[in-house]
Amino acid sequence: MVFMQIADVQDEIDHELVSKAQIERKIAQVAAQVSEDYRNKDLVLIAVLKGAVNTMAAFSQALSIPVQMDFMSLSSYGSGTSSSGRITVRQDLSADVRGRHILIVEDIVDSGRTLGWLVQEMQRRGAASVEVFALLEKPSRREVNVAVKYKGYDIPDEFAVGFGLDYNERFRNLDSIAVLKPEVYQGEHA
Ligand code: PRP
């Protein structure tokens, strides 16, 4: 299979943060653990659109147990670069989570506001348990403390794109995580 790699967009990328091989290795490790932890349990994976779609697809395919997958679209208001506290549901889950085991699959935890809200919301709806797998975390930007049971990689506070993460809806299909050149988001890139 051919993937979009850094070489394909190299004039806009400064450097790689997490390679395709590292992403695959981490997802395989976590998937093996989750397959063990939830064997013979009714597990629903939940991803927030759109950034978590790549992680959700790769992670679900690495599991060796049957799961249900569901998606939610949320809006957050505030500054463009990080989510504010106010979150509304744009498109809800189709699953009823009451009495079921929930694993939230996230691409990145930044301030933690999205995840903090979602964990509480799943508990409010009566989930039997709620845990989190986050492929990436930016610990330096955390404002809301949420327990991430299945951890991926910590990354520095840089403008990261790829594997679901976007800049103006671009780079989501990059096969690794990379840092954008500042001139791209400062509007100086031709
Ligand atoms: C990103 C990411 C998380 C959230 C994390 O989504 O997918 O859901 O931000 O940020 P937080 O920890 O500060 O809440 P974004 O709002 O950029 O939407 P997208 O997934 O559609 O790109």
Side-chain angles (χ1 to χ4, degrees):
M1 254 203 279
V2 178
F3 299 92
M4 188 174 89
Q5 303 167 358
I6 287 176
D8 298 310
V9 283
Q10 62 188 357
D11 54 336
E12 295 172 277
I13 298 297
D14 194 76
H15 60 279
E16 184 177 84
L17 269 185
V18 186
S19 71
K20 178 173 184 285
Q22 285 176 301
I23 293 171
E24 287 171 350
R25 194 159 59 236
K26 183 65 74 176
I27 285 178
Q29 276 170 6
V30 174
Q33 187 64 53
V34 166
S35 298
E36 198 179 306
D37 293 352
Y38 289 91
R39 196 161 296 285
N40 300 318
K41 287 193 175 153
D42 175 27
L43 178 61
V44 185
L45 304 181
I46 290 178
V48 177
L49 298 171
K50 304 175 194 172
V53 165
N54 298 56
T55 303
M56 177 71 138
F59 178 69
S60 62
Q61 290 173 77
L63 292 170
S64 59
I65 54 168
V67 293
Q68 187 169 336
M69 290 189 270
D70 213 334
F71 299 87
M72 211 171 191
S73 177
L74 304 175
S75 317
S76 58
Y77 299 93
S79 74
T81 51
S82 78
S83 42
S84 72
R86 213 163 81 78
I87 288 172
T88 56
V89 178
R90 210 187 279 143
Q91 185 191 309
D92 210 339
L93 303 172
S94 55
D96 182 355
V97 303
R98 180 166 300 278
R100 311 185 68 188
H101 296 288
I102 302 301
L103 180 61
I104 298 169
V105 177
E106 262 292 23
D107 52 337
I108 188 163
V109 186
D110 190 336
S111 71
R113 292 188 184 282
T114 307
L115 195 54
W117 179 89
L118 190 53
V119 168
Q120 275 194 347
E121 180 64 15
M122 293 303 104
Q123 287 165 342
R124 193 187 65 78
R125 293 184 187 188
S129 69
V130 185
E131 300 291 356
V132 177
F133 165 42
L135 181 63
L136 304 169
E137 290 184 68
K138 278 186 178 173
S140 63
R141 289 181 48 97
R142 190 64 62 85
E143 292 169 29
V144 174
N145 195 23
V146 193
V148 176
K149 180 168 181 182
Y150 303 100
K151 291 172 120 13
Y153 296 102
D154 284 352
I155 60 169
D157 186 14
E158 297 178 292
F159 204 132
V161 295
F163 211 75
L165 302 177
D166 74 306
Y167 168 62
N168 276 349
E169 296 301 329
R170 296 184 63 233
F171 305 104
R172 289 196 201 272
N173 63 320
L174 183 62
D175 69 355
S176 60
I177 310 290
V179 175
L180 215 50
K181 280 185 178 164
E183 57 262 38
V184 175
Y185 55 88
Q186 287 164 359
E188 289 163 19
H189 184 77

